[in-house]
């Protein structure tokens, strides 16, 4: 974004990711999945920390999956989720601030 303006398709994709992350439950779910031992978590591991129903958790996980932030796989009766590193790298690179020239540092601007 700081090297060149976003194209329409990239903006739509990134907005979908940010919109998914704008909900506190989904942000916490992503964090729980990313920090879970082995890098993946069963849906059965994700319902306890929240004061919402299991169907609500499933809905939030679906939103994260459709936004391209997590992958999933059914194993028997449970679904396992993992964070997609490429999605986090994409968000991270977009948010990475450029190094300001010496003349533009906050200390010199004041």
């Amino acid at each position: 974004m700081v090297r060149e303006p976003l194209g329409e398709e990239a903006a739509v994709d990134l907005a979908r990711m940010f919109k998914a992350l704008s909900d506190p439950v989904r942000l916490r779910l992503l964090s729980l999945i990313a920090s879970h031992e082995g890098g993946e978590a069963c849906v059965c591991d994700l319902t306890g920390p929240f004061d919402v129903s299991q169907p609500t958790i499933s809905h939030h996980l679906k939103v994260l999956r459709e936004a391209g932030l997590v992958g999933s796989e059914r194993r028997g009766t449970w679904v396992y989720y993992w964070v997609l590193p490429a999605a986090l790298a994409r968000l991270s690179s977009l948010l990475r601030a450029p190094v300001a020239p010496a003349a533009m540092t906050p200390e010199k601007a004041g």
Side-chain angles (χ1 to χ4, degrees):
M1 186 163 73
V2 296
R3 288 182 214 93
E4 62 184 50
L6 287 174
E8 185 177 343
E9 186 177 331
V12 168
D13 289 343
L14 289 163
R16 185 179 303 120
M17 288 182 187
F18 283 115
K19 185 175 180 181
L21 292 175
S22 70
D23 182 279
V25 171
R26 289 192 288 265
L27 190 56
R28 285 184 61 210
L29 279 169
L30 189 71
S31 176
L32 282 169
I33 294 166
S35 64
H36 201 269
E37 187 176 332
E40 66 178 26
C42 172
V43 70
C44 61
D45 298 323
L46 300 173
T47 55
F50 299 95
D51 192 24
V52 296
S53 68
Q54 192 278 324
T56 300
I57 294 294
S58 292
H59 166 75
H60 286 302
L61 289 167
K62 178 182 175 187
V63 171
L64 291 171
R65 192 179 70 248
E66 289 176 348
L69 294 164
V70 298
S72 66
E73 176 183 72
R74 179 172 292 283
R75 298 179 195 158
T77 58
W78 297 111
V79 178
Y80 287 79
Y81 293 86
W82 57 89
V83 173
L84 297 174
L88 293 185
R90 189 171 178 202
L91 291 172
S92 176
S93 69
L94 180 72
L95 296 173
R96 192 171 302 121
V99 175
M104 299 297 289
T105 61
E107 297 82 27
K108 294 190 179 193

